[in-house]
Amino acid sequence: MKLLYVKAGTRMSFQYHIKKLETNFLLSGQMEVFLENEKGEFERRVIEPNGIWTIPNGRKHRATALTDIVMIEASSPEVDDVIRIKDDTGRGHGRIESEHLQQKLI
């Protein structure tokens, strides 16, 4: 599970996952999400606070923060399973260590 803080105007990678299944919950802000459907067509959704969306494995997707946002991502355990098709900052495939904070549970 991840808690994400994203600044307005930031576009996340255009990407997909081979195995990973993720469900997202928007705590605050507004997002635009493009999700590939089962026919290979893209659907655009504007997500408002308390909105939930699931991204099945193999489906291409991209999200843009329309405002500053806070969201929770819950997923299956394959956190390295990121195939980036396009990325505004030039990041490659896989997990980016600097973007993940390790929390210790006491």
Side-chain angles (χ1 to χ4, degrees):
M1 186 173 296
K2 294 190 281 189
L3 182 63
L4 292 99
Y5 300 89
V6 182
K7 292 186 183 225
T10 301
R11 281 195 318 175
M12 297 180 188
S13 297
F14 178 46
Q15 64 185 25
Y16 67 95
H17 311 286
I18 295 169
K19 294 181 181 179
K20 182 180 168 186
L21 167 71
E22 67 182 60
T23 297
N24 299 284
F25 178 77
L26 188 62
L27 291 167
S28 65
Q30 187 180 54
M31 294 189 72
E32 178 181 54
V33 178
F34 288 91
L35 298 170
E36 182 180 30
N37 66 24
E38 60 279 348
K39 296 177 185 177
E41 301 164 338
F42 284 89
E43 298 175 357
R44 177 187 176 268
R45 291 176 56 193
V46 174
I47 310 294
E48 301 286 343
N50 300 317
I52 298 172
W53 67 102
T54 296
I55 304 167
N57 61 335
R59 302 272 177 88
K60 296 176 189 85
H61 56 282
R62 181 171 225 169
T64 301
L66 299 175
T67 65
D68 289 351
I69 63 110
V70 179
M71 64 182 268
I72 296 171
E73 176 188 306
S75 74
S76 57
E78 300 86 9
V79 294
D80 296 336
D81 180 23
V82 180
I83 308 300
R84 290 184 181 85
I85 300 165
K86 289 185 181 179
D87 185 81
D88 293 350
T89 60
R91 297 175 299 172
H93 301 320
R95 178 179 172 162
I96 309 294
E97 285 299 324
S98 63
E99 296 178 359
H100 292 81
L101 297 176
Q102 199 68 0
Q103 296 290 323
K104 287 188 175 183
L105 298 176
I106 300 174

